[in-house]
Amino acid sequence: MSKSHLSKHRHISFTAHYTGYIWYQMGISHPAFATKQGRSLAMLINPVESLAEKYVGGSMRTTLKARHTLLDDQLKALIERYPDLQVLEIAAGLSPRGWWFREHYPAIEYRELDLPDMAATKQAALKQIDTNQPDVLSADLFTEDFQNAFHVFDQNRPLVVISEGFINYFDLALLKQLLQSIVKYGEPFQALHYLTDIYPEPVKNKLAKVIWSSSKLLKLMSRSAFTFHFQSPKEVQTFFLDAGFDQVKVLQPQQYLNQYPSHDEIGPNHHEHLGDLVWVIHAELLD
C-alpha cells in the first residue's frame, strides 16, 4: 500500500509505542523496540498506573502483561502441536513476539505485518538486532491488499494468525469483515487458527465507570471506534462463529491464577464474565 493511500486506521499506531516500551520495562522485549515516543507516553501515564496498582490491584500495564503471556502460551502450545507451524502477526507494532519466537523456535516461519509507517519503524528496529530478520509485511487489513500476506506462506502447512491489543479499535461491522477475511484467506491452509485478545465490557469491575471514561479518551487519541463489544464469553463465541470459524474458545486470566478449585470446573468456554479486563480468544477452522 503506497503512502499516497493512507489508511484511516493509521492513528492507532501511536499505542504501539506505549505498549512496546512497557514490554521493554517488563524485561520481555529488546531495547530496539523501546522508542522515545513510547518512553514519553509511559512516563506520562505512570502516576495513574501506579495508583491503580496500589489501590485497585491492577492497571493497564498489568493487563498488558497478562494478555501477552496468555497469547504466548497459546502459541507455544500450537507449536508443540504443529512443529512446522507458520505465523502471521497482524498489526504487529513494536511487539517483541516475532523476534522472540524466531529466536527460540527457528523451525517455524514467523512474519509480521502492519501499516506502512509502523512496518518501516519495526523493520528498522529488527535490523538493529539482526540484519537477517525477515522483512515486515505492509498492508491495510481492510482492503484486498490483506490477501497478499497469505501468499507468502505455504498452504500445505498450518497457519496461525495472531493479533494483540487490536480488535477493540473497530466497530462490529469492521471486526466481522476482518474475521471473515482471515477465514476466507486462511481456508486453503492445512489448518487455520486465530489468536487474539479482546477487552470485554468491564461490568464486573468496581472501577467500570473510570475504565469507560478512559476508553473514550483512547478512542479520541487514536481517532478510532474503540469500544467494548461483548459482556459475556458466549457473545464472543457467537460472533466469531457467525464470521465463519468452526470452534471458538474464550480464555479468561483468572482461570490460570488458581483462583478456582480446578480448570475443569470452569473450562475454557465458561460463559460467565469472571471480572478480568481482558480475555484471549482461540478460534479455528476444523478439518
Side-chain angles (χ1 to χ4, degrees), residues 18-55:
Y18 173 76
T19 53
Y21 194 83
I22 293 300
W23 285 320
Y24 166 66
Q25 278 190 325
M26 290 178 177
I28 61 175
S29 188
H30 191 282
F33 304 133
T35 65
K36 291 181 179 179
Q37 185 177 348
R39 182 175 182 272
S40 297
L41 287 168
M43 290 178 64
L44 180 66
I45 300 173
N46 181 65
V48 177
E49 292 283 87
S50 297
L51 285 172
E53 288 164 10
K54 182 176 180 180
Y55 295 106

Side-chain angles (χ1 to χ4, degrees), residues 127-284:
K127 295 301 183 184
Q128 290 180 42
I129 302 172
D130 181 0
T131 56
N132 293 320
Q133 293 282 335
D135 290 342
V136 178
L137 304 173
S138 176
D140 186 324
L141 302 177
F142 299 96
T143 68
E144 292 186 357
D145 284 346
F146 185 27
Q147 66 180 312
N148 294 328
F150 291 79
H151 296 162
V152 174
F153 300 97
D154 182 352
Q155 292 184 355
N156 295 314
R157 294 168 58 186
L159 176 68
V160 175
V161 178
I162 186 168
S163 64
E164 181 171 6
F166 180 61
I167 63 177
N168 281 90
Y169 286 99
F170 308 104
D171 60 32
L172 287 175
L174 274 180
L175 178 54
K176 178 159 281 189
Q177 178 186 333
L178 173 65
L179 298 180
Q180 289 173 333
S181 295
I182 292 173
V183 169
K184 178 181 177 180
Y185 303 142
E187 195 168 20
F189 287 82
Q190 182 190 91
L192 176 73
H193 296 258
Y194 179 40
L195 298 175
T196 189
D197 66 293
I198 192 167
Y199 289 89
E201 289 193 25
V203 293
K204 296 217 170 185
N205 193 288
K206 58 185 177 182
L207 291 182
K209 291 183 179 179
V210 174
I211 296 169
W212 265 104
S213 298
S214 298
S215 74
K216 291 177 182 177
L217 176 61
L218 185 57
K219 178 178 180 178
L220 177 65
M221 292 176 68
S222 60
R223 304 184 201 180
S224 71
F226 187 96
T227 191
F228 306 107
H229 300 305
F230 307 106
Q231 291 190 9
S232 72
K234 183 63 175 177
E235 290 177 351
V236 175
Q237 287 177 298
T238 299
F239 187 83
F240 275 65
L241 291 171
D242 287 345
F245 286 99
D246 296 319
Q247 182 170 290
V248 183
K249 298 178 182 178
V250 180
L251 311 170
Q252 302 184 64
Q254 287 194 56
Q255 296 172 239
Y256 301 90
L257 298 178
N258 298 318
Q259 296 188 15
Y260 291 85
S262 71
H263 289 207
D264 293 337
E265 181 180 329
I266 54 177
N269 293 323
H270 186 68
H271 292 166
E272 180 187 351
H273 190 324
L274 300 178
D276 293 296
L277 295 180
V278 67
W279 299 336
V280 165
I281 301 166
H282 181 179
E284 63 180 298

Side-chain angles (χ1 to χ4, degrees), residues 64-97:
L64 288 175
K65 186 173 184 179
R67 80 183 194 197
H68 197 79
T69 301
L70 273 176
L71 283 168
D72 279 0
D73 287 348
Q74 294 301 304
L75 184 52
K76 290 173 186 175
L78 285 173
I79 293 173
E80 291 182 7
R81 180 174 169 185
Y82 306 109
D84 61 341
L85 190 67
Q86 304 172 110
V87 184
L88 172 62
E89 182 167 8
I90 59 176
L94 292 167
S95 168
R97 180 173 290 112

